[in-house]
Amino acid sequence: MRCIDDFEVGNRLKTLRESKGNNKTDLAIELDISTAQYGRLENGKARITTEVLNKVCAYYNTSINYVLFGETPLYTSMFFEKINGRPQTDIKRFLKILSCLFPLKNNKKYSEEPFYKIFMDGLLEMIPDNASSSIMYVLEYEKNRKKASENQMIRELGLTRFKWNTLIKDHNIHDITIPLTISNQYGYDLDFLINNKISDNMFFDNLFTTETPGKQKEIMQIFDMVVKSGEEDGNR
């Protein structure tokens, strides 16, 4: 279970800031907060909010997982390499088509994987393309999947009724510990929960390795054709 260490987050903020040669006032202006507030974040005396976190990630072109936990991807998905930089609507559409090329015979082996839930078990269809966050839809999906009551979900996540109501009404979530709790419980990536954004993931690559060479060739040919067709549509 991952936990946020505010002091380590502050150290990474300092490293990122110094890598651009900025001072604290520069960053405070960029993040639309006071210099004193930014100083508390960098000194580990305040917890970063989702709004400030998103601005930090956008400014430095880095990931939520790096800022919060110092994590960087060890591998790059060969499928994501082909669609990197495309709009999120395209990425989700391409991966949804890709998911249809893997007939999973042993669903129980994969059923708890977030990408299985998103692309193969219908979660994606619940989330509007323009949704700013997926949290509300993830909670509804998990509740239905477990056939649980709201009270059971609240107890499982350790939330108050007020926080639960805030989440399912899709109100802005400032407290980063709430999406972190959901991520720890169900495995979803924080960028997906907070921003409704699909990030690099090796799920389909791992499925790909279980297929025969002939099936692998077929999958790659179809995926390449789908991506190429999407590029041509985007250029019209």
Side-chain angles (χ1 to χ4, degrees):
M1 181 175 291
R2 296 184 299 178
C3 297
I4 298 172
D5 184 325
D6 296 323
F7 181 77
E8 291 301 325
V9 170
N11 283 338
R12 284 187 285 276
L13 290 176
K14 182 179 180 180
T15 298
L16 289 168
R17 175 176 61 79
E18 291 179 343
S19 71
K20 280 210 168 188
N22 297 137
N23 58 42
K24 293 181 180 180
T25 301
D26 294 332
L27 259 296
I29 293 171
E30 187 68 35
L31 302 177
D32 196 25
I33 58 178
S34 69
T35 302
Q37 184 179 352
Y38 179 79
R40 287 193 293 272
L41 289 173
E42 199 169 283
N43 292 331
K45 295 181 179 179
R47 174 147 295 177
I48 197 167
T49 64
T50 56
E51 296 92 341
V52 172
L53 178 60
N54 282 333
K55 290 176 182 177
V56 167
C57 291
Y59 184 66
Y60 293 113
N61 190 27
T62 190
S63 69
I64 287 176
N65 285 331
Y66 173 73
V67 176
L68 293 184
F69 311 111
E71 296 174 0
T72 55
L74 296 177
Y75 307 100
T76 299
S77 163
M78 61 183 172
F79 295 108
F80 272 82
E81 279 187 329
K82 296 175 181 292
I83 57 180
N84 188 37
R86 297 300 299 271
Q88 275 292 306
T89 51
D90 285 356
I91 289 175
K92 291 174 182 176
R93 178 166 57 87
F94 294 152
L95 294 180
K96 182 63 181 180
I97 294 171
L98 177 63
S99 72
C100 297
L101 304 178
F102 294 100
L104 297 182
K105 297 176 182 178
N106 183 12
N107 288 356
K108 289 184 179 179
K109 180 178 178 180
Y110 303 101
S111 62
E112 294 305 316
E113 293 277 351
F115 261 47
Y116 177 89
K117 297 175 184 179
I118 294 168
F119 292 104
M120 298 176 170
D121 198 40
L123 174 55
L124 185 66
E125 282 72 31
M126 296 175 61
I127 307 172
D129 287 339
N130 62 353
S132 58
S133 164
S134 70
I135 289 179
M136 176 177 73
Y137 307 97
V138 164
L139 292 180
E140 185 65 24
Y141 167 85
E142 292 289 344
K143 182 167 75 74
N144 293 337
R145 193 166 185 259
K146 295 169 176 289
K147 298 180 180 178
S149 68
E150 286 192 353
N151 287 335
Q152 288 173 317
M153 294 288 290
I154 289 169
R155 287 195 297 271
E156 183 173 85
L157 293 168
L159 300 174
T160 64
R161 169 61 68 173
F162 173 78
K163 286 185 177 179
W164 171 268
N165 289 340
T166 299
L167 294 173
I168 63 172
K169 291 176 181 176
D170 201 25
H171 290 168
N172 290 334
I173 300 159
H174 308 287
D175 184 355
I176 189 63
T177 59
I178 294 177
L180 178 60
T181 297
I182 297 170
S183 176
N184 283 336
Q185 184 67 37
Y186 304 124
Y188 297 99
D189 186 74
L190 282 169
D191 232 338
F192 176 67
L193 291 172
I194 296 171
N195 299 314
N196 188 24
K197 179 182 177 183
I198 297 295
S199 301
D200 196 348
N201 188 285
M202 296 296 291
F203 176 73
F204 290 118
D205 299 68
N206 293 335
L207 291 184
F208 187 79
T209 62
T210 67
E211 300 291 346
T212 64
K215 182 64 174 178
Q216 289 179 351
K217 182 178 179 180
E218 177 188 352
I219 289 170
M220 195 57 71
Q221 285 177 337
I222 294 174
F223 188 69
D224 285 341
M225 181 179 65
V226 168
V227 173
K228 183 178 180 181
S229 175
E231 290 173 349
E232 291 172 351
D233 290 343
N235 291 330
R236 289 174 185 169

